[in-house]
Amino acid sequence: EKKVYKLVLTGGPCGGKTTGQARLCTFFENLGWKVFRVPETATVLLSGGIKFSDLTADEAYKFQENLLRTMIQIENTYFELGKSCMRNCLIICDRGVMDASAYISKEKWERMMLGNNWNPVELRDNRYNQIVHMVSAANGAEEFYSTEDHACRSEGVVLARELDYKSAAAWIGHPYFDVIDNSSDFETKMNRMIECVCQKLGIDTGDRLLKTSRKLKFLVSEPMPNDNEFPAFQDFDVVHHYLQSAGPRVQARLRKRGQKGHWSYIHTIRRPHLHGQSIEVKTQLTHRDYLNMLAQKDDAHFTIYKKRRCFLVNNQYFQMDIYKDPSHPRCKGLILLETYTSLDGEQLKNSLPKFLNIVKEVTGHPDYSMFNLSLKEDWSNTKKFCYSLHGKKNVCCRDGDDE
């Protein structure tokens, strides 16, 4: 089926967004995709002579509100073009609507949401397929930080670092949020950015890009720290249903994820791949489609209920899943932490949250696969138990199944 993929490229000042847009555009056009680039609304408006220092508090609030409305309308114009395009279409947004929350107080942001009948699940989770945050050079590559080539940029290193964190924190909670840091040289940073987009789309890049980032999973033990020991976070209720699939090596599942009664719905099909990797095809669903597909629920699996906490630590984006009742006894008290990273060794160890009791890494371990955890039958008696690619028998189980 034809794809329309809505991507937000965001980040702090001097993070590589402009170059990243150009590189993504060239890469996907070479694959035969149509690429649209949505301009940054703030730059368009601020280049007209507006200075925040000249605005009163009320004028600044109204400006931010109108900026957001303008951004939504401009994006919708490109989204409609994407729908009517006959080819696969990538729409790259230079920042997205949640970025505006980094430049306004929490109280004013919530007032703006209420006054316009907006909610974060729709604006953050359902509006875009993926968010990629390009970390500012002011955070880890200070010698390359510059404001010379950007007419609307005047931030010093300290302020740039602060804005970088705020713009990343604005997107905490999006189900497909990637942070591209400065742990490599700039060329590799660009390749990592393209790679993470291709990875989510299920595009095999072969040897065209350096494969560096991988998904890691860790077992966390109780007791959990108090909420005030966490950095800024977002909590979600998550419900997973496995569906009847076309074959023993194929997994199909539904995910419902929400906050305060607002939900997003995803259908995922996973197939093993010839090169030892699984391919996932994810489709965003309406509530009606979700209810219709529940009729295909696989009775061999329990429904999985979780509380998911999303947060940023050391430029790493983490998702922590706390399994909830009703569930199989094997899930009692289970807490799993996941992240995508290119780090290893001591660098990886130092990037992990120090406030959590991390027991061990369980990446690829079949005992911590959600597919196996949801099985109704005892593992010793079932033929459905799914082994990792490093094991034997079935090879349908991979670490991607917890998304």
Side-chain angles (χ1 to χ4, degrees):
E1 290 183 7
K2 188 199 78 170
K3 293 179 181 175
V4 178
Y5 199 73
K6 292 170 279 191
L7 170 74
V8 173
L9 209 54
T10 185
C14 200
K17 289 200 286 62
T18 304
T19 305
Q21 271 200 48
R23 293 285 292 275
L24 271 173
C25 193
T26 301
F27 187 90
F28 275 85
E29 284 177 345
N30 288 342
L31 294 178
W33 286 53
K34 177 65 180 174
V35 180
F36 290 121
R37 294 198 272 179
V38 184
E40 184 182 11
T41 309
T43 299
V44 173
L45 296 182
L46 290 171
S47 63
I50 296 170
K51 289 185 179 180
F52 263 99
S53 57
D54 295 340
L55 302 180
T56 66
D58 285 343
E59 286 174 334
Y61 177 87
K62 206 65 189 171
F63 174 79
Q64 287 280 19
E65 187 173 40
N66 284 325
L67 184 151
L68 210 51
R69 289 172 178 168
T70 305
M71 182 188 293
I72 289 169
Q73 189 54 55
I74 291 173
E75 287 180 354
N76 287 346
T77 302
Y78 285 90
F79 294 169
E80 286 299 318
L81 284 172
K83 286 180 186 176
S84 60
C85 183
M86 301 305 292
R87 290 185 278 162
N88 285 336
C89 185
L90 174 67
I91 302 173
I92 307 170
C93 299
D94 190 342
R95 300 195 184 276
V97 293
M98 293 303 293
D99 279 287
S101 67
Y103 299 89
I104 193 171
S105 69
K106 184 179 178 182
E107 178 205 351
K108 288 180 178 177
W109 177 255
E110 289 176 353
R111 179 176 134 210
M112 198 178 290
M113 292 290 103
L114 191 63
N116 290 277
N117 200 26
W118 294 329
N119 72 78
V121 171
E122 287 301 321
L123 290 186
R124 181 190 58 222
D125 304 344
N126 290 339
R127 187 168 179 82
Y128 311 101
N129 298 103
Q130 184 181 359
I131 313 300
V132 176
H133 178 88
M134 307 292 287
V135 174
S136 169
N139 194 347
E142 289 82 357
E143 64 272 27
F144 297 104
Y145 182 76
S146 170
T147 61
E148 292 176 6
D149 300 325
H150 200 298
C152 294
R153 182 185 296 154
S154 59
E155 303 89 351
V157 170
V158 175
L159 179 57
R161 201 175 289 147
E162 182 184 334
L163 289 174
D164 183 81
Y165 176 77
K166 284 184 175 180
S167 66
W171 293 101
I172 290 173
H174 192 282
Y176 306 111
F177 177 36
D178 292 274
V179 179
I180 310 297
D181 64 16
N182 295 304
S183 58
S184 61
D185 61 44
F186 189 74
E187 181 65 21
T188 306
K189 183 180 184 180
M190 291 298 106
N191 283 347
R192 285 162 54 209
M193 180 268 298
I194 297 170
E195 177 199 337
C196 82
V197 177
C198 291
Q199 195 176 50
K200 295 293 189 296
L201 273 165
I203 294 173
D204 184 4
T205 58
D207 57 1
R208 282 176 287 180
L209 300 171
L210 180 65
K211 292 275 182 183
T212 53
S213 183
R214 75 266 187 222
K215 186 174 184 177
L216 299 181
K217 186 187 294 187
F218 300 89
L219 178 65
V220 176
S221 69
E222 294 181 311
M224 287 291 296
N226 295 325
D227 287 354
N228 59 13
E229 295 181 51
F230 281 82
F233 64 83
Q234 293 285 336
D235 282 346
F236 297 87
D237 294 312
V238 182
V239 181
H240 294 273
H241 296 278
Y242 278 92
L243 306 179
Q244 299 165 30
S245 56
R249 291 161 62 88
V250 177
Q251 290 181 8
R253 64 182 184 271
L254 293 175
R255 188 196 69 200
K256 180 172 84 164
R257 179 180 183 272
Q259 288 177 316
K260 299 177 182 177
H262 300 286
W263 300 92
S264 61
Y265 307 93
I266 294 285
H267 174 247
T268 301
I269 296 179
R270 291 177 66 244
R271 296 182 177 89
H273 193 254
L274 292 175
H275 299 105
Q277 304 226 359
S278 62
I279 293 296
E280 293 197 343
V281 179
K282 298 180 185 294
T283 307
Q284 198 159 352
L285 302 175
T286 63
H287 181 237
R288 182 190 292 257
D289 291 337
Y290 173 80
L291 293 177
N292 288 338
M293 295 191 82
L294 275 178
Q296 302 170 33
K297 182 181 172 184
D298 188 344
D299 290 332
H301 292 264
F302 284 111
T303 299
I304 291 282
Y305 298 91
K306 304 173 181 174
K307 179 173 119 175
R308 174 166 293 174
R309 175 162 292 186
C310 306
F311 55 92
L312 272 169
V313 174
N314 301 320
N315 288 324
Q316 287 286 125
Y317 185 55
F318 292 93
Q319 292 190 158
M320 185 175 68
D321 283 347
I322 304 166
Y323 282 69
K324 295 165 57 179
D325 289 331
S327 66
H328 191 281
R330 66 173 76 100
C331 298
K332 191 77 173 175
L334 183 62
I335 305 172
L336 295 173
L337 181 73
E338 294 184 354
T339 188
Y340 277 95
T341 184
S342 57
L343 302 176
D344 50 32
E346 281 300 309
Q347 280 187 310
L348 172 61
K349 185 179 176 182
N350 292 333
S351 74
L352 296 175
K354 299 291 189 290
F355 50 85
L356 294 177
N357 298 317
I358 296 176
V359 179
K360 60 181 177 179
E361 185 186 342
V362 294
T363 308
H365 198 301
D367 289 4
Y368 299 97
S369 156
M370 189 173 66
F371 182 90
N372 291 334
L373 289 167
S374 66
L375 287 170
K376 289 184 177 178
E377 292 181 318
D378 191 86
W379 286 347
S380 59
N381 299 326
T382 184
K383 294 180 179 179
K384 291 180 177 290
F385 189 86
C386 198
Y387 292 83
S388 74
L389 288 179
H390 304 293
K392 55 185 179 176
K393 300 179 184 175
N394 244 330
V395 293
C396 60
C397 162
R398 293 285 289 172
D399 289 304
D401 70 353
D402 284 359
E403 293 182 357

